[in-house]
Amino acid sequence: HHPYFRPKDAATLILVDRTSATPKVLVGKRHDKVVFMPGKFVFPGGRVDKSDNRVPVAAPIPKALEENLLKGSPKITPSRARSLAIAAIREACEETGLCLGRKCDVAAPKLEGAWQAFTEAGLLPDPSGLFLIARAITPPGRVRRFDTRFFTADASAIAHRVEGVVHADAELVDLVWVEIGSEPLAKAHAMTKNVLGELDRRLATGPLRHDEARCLQHREVLHHPEPSELRMPSTEPTQGLPVRFEERVEQRPPSGVGSVLGIRSSLGSG
């Protein structure tokens, strides 16, 4: 038996395109030559960084979102709740090149490192459009444990795209918009199906609201790999792991799949 390890906070972002009758979610295809999940679909996500809470933002997280993040156990502070929301935005930009931000009326502070793309685009990260969908905690008895919050945001919140992040030799080689319930998601991990099922239920009721997030049971929790399972340059072992897919991308996209480029015209300039 392993000693008790406190779960590490992590955040995942599910971007949703609602411009057509059937909503689509954004997934990335992992490189075929990475050791862990080669060729699989994933959502962007990863562990919270210590600096996330200190990043200036264009708008605060909604009070209702903060209240939802503070619910459940283990308990967290309001500053930690803010860090989780900011981490979801950071991970999405790092892994997909898609930045959820807003231009400011005054000169924005210069951001560096993972946030440099926001400064170059004249943006500050904007968590005001995030919604909490679910929370899942790796059960005790495992060396690596994660307390993952699953956020969602509408694709219209994408303010900028960094070119060159997704390419043939990157961790993610392609981005596609996939209909919930379509063929590529048919063999998804049970946890993924549970989260997407909750998201689909929310979307069916109309515009997203800050409903209480579903707390997923331990038996539904995702497998998070040991460090030895990952061999990706410049990537922390926990990045991009909260959600996994079991289906490979076919040569021709199956029904319900669209290129990430196909939606850009509906999002305005970016």
Side-chain angles (χ1 to χ4, degrees), residues 16-37:
V16 182
D17 169 24
R18 303 187 72 178
T19 58
S20 58
T22 303
K24 295 179 181 180
V25 294
L26 183 68
V27 293
K29 182 193 176 188
R30 289 175 60 80
H31 198 289
D32 287 332
K33 294 185 178 179
V34 296
V35 174
F36 182 67
M37 293 193 296

Side-chain angles (χ1 to χ4, degrees), residues 150-163:
F150 297 85
F151 295 90
T152 190
D154 192 85
S156 60
I158 302 170
H160 177 65
R161 180 177 184 180
V162 182
E163 298 297 335

Side-chain angles (χ1 to χ4, degrees), residues 24 175-178 253-254 256-262:
K24 295 179 181 180
L175 295 177
V176 290
W177 294 92
V178 185
V257 177
S259 167
V260 68
L261 297 177

